[in-house]
């Protein structure tokens, strides 16, 4: 019996989106081969392990690690684009939501619906909150040096 990516994703800790990315990069096949399944089962055993994450994150610069952490909850490219646009604003600069929506729609070729626009407002608020905390000094990076 052959198993496809969607079937595998239903019972796996590995997100379907990542499985599809691996298929697109020709790392795995769809339907999955026995070799693919063996490799994915090994990956499942390592998935989320602190030792593995630490080794991977250690290769990145501290600013890159922080950006990865800050954007981990942003699932789509257009959400990460919005995050980057707001984060890259200089002090005092403003970015109108209408302008950002137009940029996203032009760049990614689709019209944002009400839920997606609401998501943009959430992203903007998250950035404003993070900046406010940094100004107050409550977010100063890694103060705990526990490994």
């Amino acid at each position: 019996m052959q198993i496809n990516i969607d079937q595998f994703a239903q019972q796996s800790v590995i997100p379907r989106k990542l499985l599809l990315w691996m298929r697109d990069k020709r790392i795995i096949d769809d339907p999955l081969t026995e070799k693919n399944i063996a490799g994915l089962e090994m990956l499942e055993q390592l998935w989320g392990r602190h030792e593995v994450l630490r080794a991977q994150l250690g290769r990145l610069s501290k600013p890159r690690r922080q950006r990865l952490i800050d954007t981990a909850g942003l699932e789509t490219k257009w959400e990460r684009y919005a995050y980057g646009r707001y984060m890259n604003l200089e002090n005092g600069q403003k970015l109108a939501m209408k302008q950002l929506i137009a940029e996203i729609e032009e760049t990614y070729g689709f019209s944002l619906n009400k839920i997606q626009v609401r998501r943009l407002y959430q992203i903007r608020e998250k950035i404003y909150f993070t900046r406010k905390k940094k100004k107050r000094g409550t977010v100063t990076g890694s103060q705990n040096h526990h490994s």
Side-chain angles (χ1 to χ4, degrees):
M1 181 183 115
Q2 289 190 330
I3 184 168
N4 67 29
I5 286 175
D6 287 331
Q7 292 166 325
F8 188 86
Q10 288 176 356
Q11 54 85 36
S12 178
V13 295
I14 304 169
R16 178 179 177 273
K17 191 172 183 175
L18 182 58
L19 293 168
L20 294 174
W21 176 86
M22 287 191 276
R23 178 204 62 199
D24 293 346
K25 297 293 183 186
R26 298 184 178 198
I27 297 168
I28 61 173
D29 302 296
D30 194 9
L32 298 166
T33 65
E34 285 184 32
K35 184 178 174 184
N36 294 156
I37 292 170
L40 290 171
E41 287 173 347
M42 180 186 285
L43 181 59
E44 284 180 321
Q45 292 176 7
L46 299 172
W47 193 259
R49 295 277 180 118
H50 292 142
E51 299 84 0
V52 176
L53 291 170
R54 185 176 290 116
Q56 291 176 314
L57 291 172
R59 297 176 56 194
L60 303 175
S61 69
K62 191 170 183 177
R64 181 69 187 110
R65 285 193 304 262
Q66 188 60 53
R67 183 168 171 94
L68 187 60
I69 290 165
D70 292 344
T71 61
L74 305 177
E75 292 186 20
T76 64
K77 287 182 180 180
W78 64 265
E79 288 174 316
R80 291 187 294 273
Y81 174 85
Y83 179 91
R85 284 289 281 125
Y86 277 115
M87 282 303 290
N88 292 330
L89 293 176
E90 299 293 327
N91 279 341
Q93 272 188 315
K94 301 273 186 210
L95 174 60
M97 189 59 73
K98 278 185 177 183
Q99 180 184 341
L100 180 60
I101 291 168
E103 287 178 16
I104 290 170
E105 290 179 346
E106 185 176 332
T107 302
Y108 295 97
F110 72 96
S111 295
L112 294 171
N113 63 34
K114 287 181 181 179
I115 293 169
Q116 291 165 328
V117 170
R118 191 173 318 130
R119 182 71 177 134
L120 288 178
Y121 281 100
Q122 291 171 343
I123 291 167
R124 185 178 70 178
E125 289 302 312
K126 178 181 176 177
I127 291 165
Y128 287 165
F129 179 74
T130 300
R131 284 185 172 161
K132 197 180 273 189
K133 280 173 63 176
K134 282 182 182 177
K135 269 188 181 176
R136 286 192 308 234
T138 53
V139 175
T140 57
S142 177
Q143 291 179 345
N144 295 333
H145 298 290
H146 304 292
S147 295

